[in-house]
Amino acid sequence: MRLLVLFIISAVFSYGQQSQIVDFKELKADLSIFPKEKKVSGTLHYTFQILKKTDSVYLDAKQMSFSLDNSSKTKANLSANEDKIWIKYPFEEAKEYSIAFNYEAFPKQTMYFFEDQTWTQGQRKYTSHWLPSIDDVNDKIIFNLSITAPAEFEVIANGSLEKESPVFNDQKQWQYTMKSPMSSYLVAIAMGNFKKQTETSSSGIPLVYYYTQNNESKVEPTYRYTKELFDFLEEVIGVDYPWENYKQVPVRDFLYAGMENTTLTIFSETFVVDSIGFVDRNYVNVNAHELAHQWFGNLVTSESSEHHWLQEGFATYFALLAEREIFGDDYYYWKLYQSAEQLTELSEQGKGEPIVKAGASSLTYYQKGAWALHILNERVGNLAFKQAVQNFLNKYKFKSATTDDFLEEITLLNGDDLQLSINWLMCLLAKANPYTIKRLIVVISL
Ligand SMILES: [Zn+2]
């Protein structure tokens, strides 16, 4: 996610222990959205593997009503409290189960209804306000959403659109499917009077640019350089884009700059500009940042908030590398200098903090994280850095990882300078900031 305004992430994200007992594998959801009633309902078919014998498992679900569907293979007992639905059954170890149930929700947050648009915002564990799912980022699920909604709208969700079909009462159904699993906070729906234009990346991935009616002339300036950013990131990261397609949708009153839902970035319509507006304010940085998250965050997710920089530091750094491709070296170093100034100020106020920390400030996760990667890349060289990043992504793909997991990939590579680099990186990561970024710049340039 890229914030419009820097703020302190104060929440300490906890993560549940249920992942030791059950592994939710796949969801087939038949949803209906009622924008006027501000309601979502549906039938969910969940498949899961029991890892340890138990008499109950749960899904996170905030203030919803439920009933078992007749088609359910597992005839479990369902009960709900404020924030969970409990599935009770004598589950046996190493067996796979599937359950089908109906639900209805009137989301108070996370799914937002406007007269002409409905959209969701799931980070970091808010999807359970509109879709029974798993708040713990470590249980990754293949999400297949079919959505029925008023036919006048376009409905966009994660993955590939397999089918669009009319149903009764001026309604239409959109069927989306995914091939690979992801954390629940990355599930998204955007619905509205959208039109689209499509381009294809050099590797053949469809890049879909949505826009609202009357904004056709702003498509090019708004999405300018998207293909370049995409092609560059695939090349510099060295791992193929891991998903079916990449769609971007601007929505009204969005709370952030952008959110990297898998295959479906939702961003603030304040970034929709014409060629003149582009000069003052454009989407390029947010565009690159959310795209980088498709690898750093979506493919490999940080195991807990302590390691959040693995998502935000990486997305910030790789966005900066992509922008360097377009705007040049001066831009790159100017941006680094600016964030060094901000970090120094934080440090001088006595608020400097290590990168690996639960509840650190976004300046720490984003900018200091990016600085750590810049330093590491300078020290080990582009080739070794790229190799380590590639190994890290391949080893933990569709899973979650910690800072140690990343550092291990760096350590596994040979290089004379390497131990020194790791020492410097560890200073940034582990200690409570005895070195300001400015001192580090001096040291690096020596
Ligand atoms: Zn981000």
Side-chain angles (χ1 to χ4, degrees), residues 83-102:
D83 59 3
K84 286 184 176 53
I85 165 172
W86 288 93
I87 304 163
K88 292 181 180 156
Y89 191 80
F91 293 115
E92 286 173 38
E93 190 169 318
K95 269 191 151 183
E96 195 168 275
Y97 294 86
S98 61
I99 186 167
F101 61 90
N102 309 301

PDB file of all heavy atoms in Angstrom, residues 83-102:
ATOM      1  N   ASP A  83     -17.043 -11.890  15.765  1.00  0.00           N
ATOM      2  CA  ASP A  83     -16.032 -11.784  14.705  1.00  0.00           C
ATOM      3  C   ASP A  83     -15.592 -13.108  14.088  1.00  0.00           C
ATOM      4  O   ASP A  83     -14.625 -13.124  13.317  1.00  0.00           O
ATOM      5  CB  ASP A  83     -14.812 -11.004  15.219  1.00  0.00           C
ATOM      6  CG  ASP A  83     -14.184 -11.658  16.428  1.00  0.00           C
ATOM      7  OD1 ASP A  83     -14.651 -12.740  16.838  1.00  0.00           O
ATOM      8  OD2 ASP A  83     -13.211 -11.087  16.943  1.00  0.00           O
ATOM      9  N   LYS A  84     -16.280 -14.207  14.411  1.00  0.00           N
ATOM     10  CA  LYS A  84     -15.891 -15.494  13.823  1.00  0.00           C
ATOM     11  C   LYS A  84     -17.114 -16.356  13.527  1.00  0.00           C
ATOM     12  O   LYS A  84     -18.147 -16.222  14.161  1.00  0.00           O
ATOM     13  CB  LYS A  84     -14.997 -16.274  14.803  1.00  0.00           C
ATOM     14  CG  LYS A  84     -13.589 -15.725  14.900  1.00  0.00           C
ATOM     15  CD  LYS A  84     -12.725 -16.583  15.792  1.00  0.00           C
ATOM     16  CE  LYS A  84     -11.295 -16.085  15.811  1.00  0.00           C
ATOM     17  NZ  LYS A  84     -11.159 -14.656  16.155  1.00  0.00           N
ATOM     18  N   ILE A  85     -16.919 -17.248  12.557  1.00  0.00           N
ATOM     19  CA  ILE A  85     -17.897 -18.318  12.379  1.00  0.00           C
ATOM     20  C   ILE A  85     -17.175 -19.622  12.727  1.00  0.00           C
ATOM     21  O   ILE A  85     -16.092 -19.892  12.201  1.00  0.00           O
ATOM     22  CB  ILE A  85     -18.475 -18.340  10.947  1.00  0.00           C
ATOM     23  CG1 ILE A  85     -19.184 -19.659  10.701  1.00  0.00           C
ATOM     24  CG2 ILE A  85     -17.427 -18.110   9.877  1.00  0.00           C
ATOM     25  CD1 ILE A  85     -19.938 -19.690   9.394  1.00  0.00           C
ATOM     26  N   TRP A  86     -17.739 -20.371  13.652  1.00  0.00           N
ATOM     27  CA  TRP A  86     -17.134 -21.629  14.098  1.00  0.00           C
ATOM     28  C   TRP A  86     -17.771 -22.780  13.338  1.00  0.00           C
ATOM     29  O   TRP A  86     -18.994 -22.879  13.231  1.00  0.00           O
ATOM     30  CB  TRP A  86     -17.334 -21.825  15.601  1.00  0.00           C
ATOM     31  CG  TRP A  86     -16.466 -20.883  16.386  1.00  0.00           C
ATOM     32  CD1 TRP A  86     -16.800 -19.655  16.857  1.00  0.00           C
ATOM     33  CD2 TRP A  86     -15.102 -21.104  16.751  1.00  0.00           C
ATOM     34  NE1 TRP A  86     -15.716 -19.090  17.500  1.00  0.00           N
ATOM     35  CE2 TRP A  86     -14.662 -19.955  17.455  1.00  0.00           C
ATOM     36  CE3 TRP A  86     -14.193 -22.163  16.553  1.00  0.00           C
ATOM     37  CZ2 TRP A  86     -13.372 -19.828  17.959  1.00  0.00           C
ATOM     38  CZ3 TRP A  86     -12.906 -22.040  17.056  1.00  0.00           C
ATOM     39  CH2 TRP A  86     -12.500 -20.889  17.749  1.00  0.00           C
ATOM     40  N   ILE A  87     -16.912 -23.653  12.810  1.00  0.00           N
ATOM     41  CA  ILE A  87     -17.368 -24.827  12.064  1.00  0.00           C
ATOM     42  C   ILE A  87     -17.059 -26.034  12.942  1.00  0.00           C
ATOM     43  O   ILE A  87     -15.886 -26.370  13.155  1.00  0.00           O
ATOM     44  CB  ILE A  87     -16.631 -24.915  10.710  1.00  0.00           C
ATOM     45  CG1 ILE A  87     -16.841 -23.609   9.924  1.00  0.00           C
ATOM     46  CG2 ILE A  87     -17.082 -26.128   9.912  1.00  0.00           C
ATOM     47  CD1 ILE A  87     -15.847 -23.405   8.786  1.00  0.00           C
ATOM     48  N   LYS A  88     -18.107 -26.651  13.483  1.00  0.00           N
ATOM     49  CA  LYS A  88     -17.896 -27.741  14.453  1.00  0.00           C
ATOM     50  C   LYS A  88     -18.195 -29.092  13.828  1.00  0.00           C
ATOM     51  O   LYS A  88     -19.263 -29.300  13.248  1.00  0.00           O
ATOM     52  CB  LYS A  88     -18.774 -27.500  15.690  1.00  0.00           C
ATOM     53  CG  LYS A  88     -18.281 -26.290  16.454  1.00  0.00           C
ATOM     54  CD  LYS A  88     -19.072 -25.997  17.697  1.00  0.00           C
ATOM     55  CE  LYS A  88     -18.445 -24.763  18.350  1.00  0.00           C
ATOM     56  NZ  LYS A  88     -19.360 -24.033  19.191  1.00  0.00           N
ATOM     57  N   TYR A  89     -17.215 -30.002  13.981  1.00  0.00           N
ATOM     58  CA  TYR A  89     -17.318 -31.320  13.350  1.00  0.00           C
ATOM     59  C   TYR A  89     -16.153 -32.164  13.888  1.00  0.00           C
ATOM     60  O   TYR A  89     -15.091 -31.611  14.183  1.00  0.00           O
ATOM     61  CB  TYR A  89     -17.193 -31.150  11.819  1.00  0.00           C
ATOM     62  CG  TYR A  89     -17.545 -32.377  11.022  1.00  0.00           C
ATOM     63  CD1 TYR A  89     -18.870 -32.703  10.763  1.00  0.00           C
ATOM     64  CD2 TYR A  89     -16.531 -33.204  10.527  1.00  0.00           C
ATOM     65  CE1 TYR A  89     -19.185 -33.836  10.033  1.00  0.00           C
ATOM     66  CE2 TYR A  89     -16.838 -34.340   9.785  1.00  0.00           C
ATOM     67  CZ  TYR A  89     -18.172 -34.654   9.538  1.00  0.00           C
ATOM     68  OH  TYR A  89     -18.478 -35.782   8.809  1.00  0.00           O
ATOM     69  N   PRO A  90     -16.323 -33.482  13.992  1.00  0.00           N
ATOM     70  CA  PRO A  90     -15.160 -34.300  14.435  1.00  0.00           C
ATOM     71  C   PRO A  90     -14.127 -34.456  13.311  1.00  0.00           C
ATOM     72  O   PRO A  90     -14.070 -35.485  12.631  1.00  0.00           O
ATOM     73  CB  PRO A  90     -15.802 -35.641  14.824  1.00  0.00           C
ATOM     74  CG  PRO A  90     -17.102 -35.688  14.107  1.00  0.00           C
ATOM     75  CD  PRO A  90     -17.561 -34.274  13.893  1.00  0.00           C
ATOM     76  N   PHE A  91     -13.323 -33.430  13.098  1.00  0.00           N
ATOM     77  CA  PHE A  91     -12.345 -33.430  12.001  1.00  0.00           C
ATOM     78  C   PHE A  91     -11.173 -34.359  12.311  1.00  0.00           C
ATOM     79  O   PHE A  91     -10.651 -34.363  13.421  1.00  0.00           O
ATOM     80  CB  PHE A  91     -11.797 -32.013  11.779  1.00  0.00           C
ATOM     81  CG  PHE A  91     -12.819 -31.043  11.259  1.00  0.00           C
ATOM     82  CD1 PHE A  91     -13.223 -29.963  12.035  1.00  0.00           C
ATOM     83  CD2 PHE A  91     -13.379 -31.200   9.996  1.00  0.00           C
ATOM     84  CE1 PHE A  91     -14.154 -29.049  11.560  1.00  0.00           C
ATOM     85  CE2 PHE A  91     -14.316 -30.295   9.510  1.00  0.00           C
ATOM     86  CZ  PHE A  91     -14.706 -29.218  10.293  1.00  0.00           C
ATOM     87  N   GLU A  92     -10.751 -35.109  11.299  1.00  0.00           N
ATOM     88  CA  GLU A  92      -9.625 -36.035  11.487  1.00  0.00           C
ATOM     89  C   GLU A  92      -8.384 -35.524  10.782  1.00  0.00           C
ATOM     90  O   GLU A  92      -8.468 -34.897   9.727  1.00  0.00           O
ATOM     91  CB  GLU A  92      -9.994 -37.414  10.933  1.00  0.00           C
ATOM     92  CG  GLU A  92     -10.977 -38.149  11.827  1.00  0.00           C
ATOM     93  CD  GLU A  92     -11.450 -39.436  11.187  1.00  0.00           C
ATOM     94  OE1 GLU A  92     -10.628 -40.117  10.543  1.00  0.00           O
ATOM     95  OE2 GLU A  92     -12.646 -39.736  11.321  1.00  0.00           O
ATOM     96  N   GLU A  93      -7.256 -35.852  11.394  1.00  0.00           N
ATOM     97  CA  GLU A  93      -5.961 -35.391  10.874  1.00  0.00           C
ATOM     98  C   GLU A  93      -5.715 -35.863   9.436  1.00  0.00           C
ATOM     99  O   GLU A  93      -6.119 -36.955   9.063  1.00  0.00           O
ATOM    100  CB  GLU A  93      -4.854 -35.926  11.791  1.00  0.00           C
ATOM    101  CG  GLU A  93      -3.498 -35.327  11.493  1.00  0.00           C
ATOM    102  CD  GLU A  93      -2.480 -35.680  12.578  1.00  0.00           C
ATOM    103  OE1 GLU A  93      -2.844 -35.639  13.772  1.00  0.00           O
ATOM    104  OE2 GLU A  93      -1.341 -35.988  12.219  1.00  0.00           O
ATOM    105  N   ALA A  94      -5.091 -35.008   8.652  1.00  0.00           N
ATOM    106  CA  ALA A  94      -4.646 -35.317   7.288  1.00  0.00           C
ATOM    107  C   ALA A  94      -5.795 -35.564   6.302  1.00  0.00           C
ATOM    108  O   ALA A  94      -5.589 -36.160   5.255  1.00  0.00           O
ATOM    109  CB  ALA A  94      -3.684 -36.508   7.286  1.00  0.00           C
ATOM    110  N   LYS A  95      -6.982 -35.146   6.667  1.00  0.00           N
ATOM    111  CA  LYS A  95      -8.104 -35.318   5.743  1.00  0.00           C
ATOM    112  C   LYS A  95      -8.536 -33.974   5.171  1.00  0.00           C
ATOM    113  O   LYS A  95      -8.416 -32.944   5.840  1.00  0.00           O
ATOM    114  CB  LYS A  95      -9.292 -35.933   6.480  1.00  0.00           C
ATOM    115  CG  LYS A  95      -9.328 -37.452   6.428  1.00  0.00           C
ATOM    116  CD  LYS A  95     -10.663 -37.924   6.945  1.00  0.00           C
ATOM    117  CE  LYS A  95     -11.092 -39.229   6.338  1.00  0.00           C
ATOM    118  NZ  LYS A  95     -12.415 -39.617   6.822  1.00  0.00           N
ATOM    119  N   GLU A  96      -9.076 -34.034   3.932  1.00  0.00           N
ATOM    120  CA  GLU A  96      -9.562 -32.800   3.323  1.00  0.00           C
ATOM    121  C   GLU A  96     -11.087 -32.741   3.457  1.00  0.00           C
ATOM    122  O   GLU A  96     -11.765 -33.748   3.302  1.00  0.00           O
ATOM    123  CB  GLU A  96      -9.146 -32.766   1.852  1.00  0.00           C
ATOM    124  CG  GLU A  96      -9.277 -31.385   1.255  1.00  0.00           C
ATOM    125  CD  GLU A  96      -8.598 -31.278  -0.103  1.00  0.00           C
ATOM    126  OE1 GLU A  96      -7.380 -31.027  -0.140  1.00  0.00           O
ATOM    127  OE2 GLU A  96      -9.296 -31.442  -1.124  1.00  0.00           O
ATOM    128  N   TYR A  97     -11.593 -31.579   3.747  1.00  0.00           N
ATOM    129  CA  TYR A  97     -13.038 -31.385   3.912  1.00  0.00           C
ATOM    130  C   TYR A  97     -13.507 -30.244   3.029  1.00  0.00           C
ATOM    131  O   TYR A  97     -12.717 -29.364   2.667  1.00  0.00           O
ATOM    132  CB  TYR A  97     -13.367 -31.031   5.368  1.00  0.00           C
ATOM    133  CG  TYR A  97     -13.080 -32.157   6.340  1.00  0.00           C
ATOM    134  CD1 TYR A  97     -11.804 -32.319   6.877  1.00  0.00           C
ATOM    135  CD2 TYR A  97     -14.080 -33.050   6.702  1.00  0.00           C
ATOM    136  CE1 TYR A  97     -11.532 -33.355   7.762  1.00  0.00           C
ATOM    137  CE2 TYR A  97     -13.823 -34.093   7.591  1.00  0.00           C
ATOM    138  CZ  TYR A  97     -12.542 -34.237   8.122  1.00  0.00           C
ATOM    139  OH  TYR A  97     -12.288 -35.253   8.997  1.00  0.00           O
ATOM    140  N   SER A  98     -14.799 -30.266   2.710  1.00  0.00           N
ATOM    141  CA  SER A  98     -15.364 -29.081   2.060  1.00  0.00           C
ATOM    142  C   SER A  98     -16.701 -28.764   2.689  1.00  0.00           C
ATOM    143  O   SER A  98     -17.451 -29.661   3.093  1.00  0.00           O
ATOM    144  CB  SER A  98     -15.477 -29.274   0.550  1.00  0.00           C
ATOM    145  OG  SER A  98     -16.322 -30.341   0.283  1.00  0.00           O
ATOM    146  N   ILE A  99     -16.946 -27.494   2.793  1.00  0.00           N
ATOM    147  CA  ILE A  99     -18.167 -27.046   3.447  1.00  0.00           C
ATOM    148  C   ILE A  99     -18.788 -25.950   2.589  1.00  0.00           C
ATOM    149  O   ILE A  99     -18.068 -25.179   1.929  1.00  0.00           O
ATOM    150  CB  ILE A  99     -17.879 -26.553   4.882  1.00  0.00           C
ATOM    151  CG1 ILE A  99     -19.187 -26.227   5.599  1.00  0.00           C
ATOM    152  CG2 ILE A  99     -16.944 -25.348   4.911  1.00  0.00           C
ATOM    153  CD1 ILE A  99     -19.031 -26.041   7.083  1.00  0.00           C
ATOM    154  N   ALA A 100     -20.109 -25.912   2.571  1.00  0.00           N
ATOM    155  CA  ALA A 100     -20.807 -24.839   1.854  1.00  0.00           C
ATOM    156  C   ALA A 100     -21.790 -24.174   2.804  1.00  0.00           C
ATOM    157  O   ALA A 100     -22.523 -24.856   3.508  1.00  0.00           O
ATOM    158  CB  ALA A 100     -21.538 -25.400   0.645  1.00  0.00           C
ATOM    159  N   PHE A 101     -21.756 -22.860   2.849  1.00  0.00           N
ATOM    160  CA  PHE A 101     -22.716 -22.154   3.704  1.00  0.00           C
ATOM    161  C   PHE A 101     -23.116 -20.823   3.076  1.00  0.00           C
ATOM    162  O   PHE A 101     -22.432 -20.278   2.213  1.00  0.00           O
ATOM    163  CB  PHE A 101     -22.155 -21.950   5.124  1.00  0.00           C
ATOM    164  CG  PHE A 101     -20.907 -21.123   5.185  1.00  0.00           C
ATOM    165  CD1 PHE A 101     -20.965 -19.734   5.323  1.00  0.00           C
ATOM    166  CD2 PHE A 101     -19.662 -21.725   5.133  1.00  0.00           C
ATOM    167  CE1 PHE A 101     -19.815 -18.969   5.391  1.00  0.00           C
ATOM    168  CE2 PHE A 101     -18.494 -20.963   5.202  1.00  0.00           C
ATOM    169  CZ  PHE A 101     -18.576 -19.588   5.331  1.00  0.00           C
ATOM    170  N   ASN A 102     -24.262 -20.341   3.543  1.00  0.00           N
ATOM    171  CA  ASN A 102     -24.778 -19.052   3.050  1.00  0.00           C
ATOM    172  C   ASN A 102     -24.501 -17.994   4.099  1.00  0.00           C
ATOM    173  O   ASN A 102     -24.501 -18.284   5.296  1.00  0.00           O
ATOM    174  CB  ASN A 102     -26.287 -19.156   2.822  1.00  0.00           C
ATOM    175  CG  ASN A 102     -26.625 -20.369   1.976  1.00  0.00           C
ATOM    176  OD1 ASN A 102     -26.152 -20.491   0.858  1.00  0.00           O
ATOM    177  ND2 ASN A 102     -27.392 -21.301   2.516  1.00  0.00           N
TER     178      ASN A 102
END
